[in-house]
């Protein structure tokens, strides 16, 4: 498998991305390659500092898309950017997957414009795993599509369920539709019409409407919503987890200073459950290829785990199963 990695994407710069690539190298199979795409001189200089491995190749791209740029405009005007070059390599078959911690909108735009959609998919959606009370919950969509129709959310339910089944080993994941109340009649027109579609699909284990707080209460395995709301929820959950852990540490150390070492060990274990780096990247499901989008603040561990996620999507043939189920519908 040849995995493309945007060396220029992310808030932490090429050093962190390359460190993640090197860490992932030890877990690759024979013949697997990590292709770093970006400014060749910068990549080579960083590899000279950190060391290299035989599994890494470099493809030069003279431009980079910044976080604040307009996604579609950047894709059109920066044809030699790392995101565009990497996506083109995937389209031509020279890569089997793309990974980036860069501009999310640009990643989505490049994937949709260059790779196109899987047969039967109307809108791709980003599916991320969120730590719940008894395991991860798949949240889809978290930012690919903010103007949804009921059929789009139905497709998200199909795709996210198959992804959850493949990665978490749950045969029939419980699917909840995010609304303002669990009662069937609540929600806006989008939610009501989507709910009807999900009820009529025997291939989806639809449990009905769920509320935002249910994300962390082991109510469902998959939570479906449109991208604007999903992105807000994701950022809120991340900040709550970090804030609560910091407050807990501060309070416990004040109350029990003699047990500081034990407290810090316990909190460290808990914090790992809420660290987005442990989950790696989020697949953009529905495009004709494998595109993994990472958190902009990803550390080397997050990049390493994103490479793992790309291999999981490929090995479980998630795209093949998506096309098969949508064709049955």
């Amino acid at each position: 498998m040849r995995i493309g990695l945007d060396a220029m994407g992310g808030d932490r710069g090429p050093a962190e991305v390359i460190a993640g690539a090197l860490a992932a190298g030890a877990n690759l199979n024979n013949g697997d390659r990590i292709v770093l795409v970006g400014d060749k001189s910068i990549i080579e200089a960083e590899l000279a500092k950190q060391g290299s491995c035989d599994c890494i190749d470099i493809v030069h791209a003279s431009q980079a898309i910044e976080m604040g740029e307009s996604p579609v405009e950047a894709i059109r005007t920066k044809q030699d950017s790392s995101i565009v070059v990497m996506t083109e390599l995937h389209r031509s078959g020279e890569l089997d997957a793309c990974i980036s911690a860069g501009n999310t909108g640009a990643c989505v735009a490049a994937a949709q414009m260059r790779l196109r959609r899987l047969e039967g998919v109307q809108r791709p959606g980003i599916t991320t795993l969120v730590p719940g009370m008894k395991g991860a919950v798949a949240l889809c969509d978290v930012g690919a599509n903010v103007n949804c129709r009921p059929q789009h959310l139905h497709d998200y339910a199909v795709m996210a369920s198959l992804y959850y089944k493949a990665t978490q080993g749950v045969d029939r994941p419980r699917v909840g539709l995010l609304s303002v109340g669990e009662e069937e009649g609540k929600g806006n027109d989008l939610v009501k019409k989507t709910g009807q579609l999900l009820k009529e699909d025997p291939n989806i284990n639809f449990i009905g409407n769920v509320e935002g707080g249910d994300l962390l209460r082991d109510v469902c395995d998959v939570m479906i919503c449109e991208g604007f709301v999903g992105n807000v929820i994701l950022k809120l959950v991340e900040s709550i987890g970090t804030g609560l852990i910091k407050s807990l540490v501060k309070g416990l150390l004040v109350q029990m200073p003699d047990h500081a070492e034990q407290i810090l060990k316990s909190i460290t274990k808990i914090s790992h459950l809420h660290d987005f780096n442990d989950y790696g990247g989020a697949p953009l499901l529905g495009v004709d290829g494998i595109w993994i989008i990472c958190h902009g603040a990803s550390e080397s561990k997050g990049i390493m785990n994103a490479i793992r996620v790309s291999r999981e999507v490929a090995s479980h043939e998630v795209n093949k199963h998506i096309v098969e189920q949508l064709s049955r519908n």
Side-chain angles (χ1 to χ4, degrees), residues 13-26:
E16 202 73 19
V17 175
I18 291 170
L22 291 171

Side-chain angles (χ1 to χ4, degrees), residues 246-278:
K246 288 182 178 179
S247 298
L248 186 61
V249 170
K250 184 177 180 181
L252 289 174
L253 289 179
V254 170
Q255 295 295 322
M256 297 181 289
D258 296 337
H259 299 280
E261 185 175 350
Q262 291 174 295
I263 290 170
L264 291 174
K265 284 183 179 179
S266 298
I267 294 298
T268 298
K269 291 180 181 179
I270 296 172
S271 66
H272 281 310
L273 298 175
H274 297 272
D275 185 359
F276 60 83
N277 286 291
D278 284 342

Side-chain angles (χ1 to χ4, degrees), residues 4-10 17 35-38 82-83 86 99-102 107:
L5 181 58
D6 176 11
M8 314 311 290
V17 175
V35 181
L36 297 173
V37 183
S82 52
I83 289 176
M86 185 169 62
I99 300 172
S100 177
C107 294

Side-chain angles (χ1 to χ4, degrees), residues 87 91 110-118 124 286-289:
T87 309
R91 185 186 65 82
Q112 293 197 81
M113 293 167 67
R114 304 300 172 98
L115 296 181
R116 304 302 181 184
R117 299 187 296 270
L118 290 173
V287 294
D288 190 11

Side-chain angles (χ1 to χ4, degrees), residues 26-45:
N27 299 318
L28 297 181
N29 296 325
N30 290 334
D32 288 346
R33 311 290 299 174
I34 297 175
V35 181
L36 297 173
V37 183
D39 189 307
K40 187 176 181 179
S41 61
I42 293 176
I43 295 172
E44 288 180 336

